[in-house]
Amino acid sequence: MQTFVLVVHIILALLMIVLILVQHGKGADAGASFGGGGAATVFGASGSGNFLSRLTGILTALFFITSLTLAIFAKNQSNDAYSLKSVSTTQSVPATSPETSPVEPKSAE
């Protein structure tokens, strides 16, 4: 699931970069009034600004959601790495006392 969200996040980032670079700035309309031919657009007389701005806003919201989701995944992964759940429990064997030691003492000869 984390890989899927990461792939969607990267695709959204690339689409946002392309959309932001395609859009015209606010000052670009001033040049159209001096004969730039701004009325002949694909999106009608209002221009592509409204459509592209709305699409950029939607992609930004989706990018924000995927960023938060990836942050939650990273937090859960780091909590699991540092929790006591991952520590293996081993039972220690009690030390043998000298009375029950299997090793026999050396005799003095």
Side-chain angles (χ1 to χ4, degrees):
M1 182 69 180
Q2 184 177 359
T3 306
F4 174 73
V5 174
L6 183 63
V7 168
V8 170
H9 187 74
I10 292 171
I11 291 171
L12 285 172
L14 293 174
L15 286 175
M16 282 177 49
I17 290 169
V18 169
L19 273 178
I20 291 170
L21 290 176
V22 165
Q23 291 181 22
H24 292 284
K26 296 279 183 187
D29 294 333
S33 63
F34 296 109
T41 61
V42 177
F43 297 102
S46 64
S48 62
N50 194 16
F51 172 74
L52 292 179
S53 297
R54 185 171 292 158
L55 187 60
T56 304
I58 292 170
L59 289 179
T60 303
L62 291 173
F63 183 81
F64 184 72
I65 291 169
T66 56
S67 295
L68 288 177
T69 306
L70 288 172
I72 291 170
F73 282 144
K75 180 181 180 290
N76 290 340
Q77 192 173 18
S78 68
N79 282 348
D80 290 343
Y82 294 112
S83 71
L84 292 177
K85 296 176 193 173
S86 63
V87 176
S88 62
T89 57
T90 58
Q91 294 181 353
S92 61
V93 177
T96 58
S97 63
E99 295 86 29
T100 61
S101 176
V103 178
E104 298 196 16
K106 294 182 181 179
S107 61
E109 293 179 22

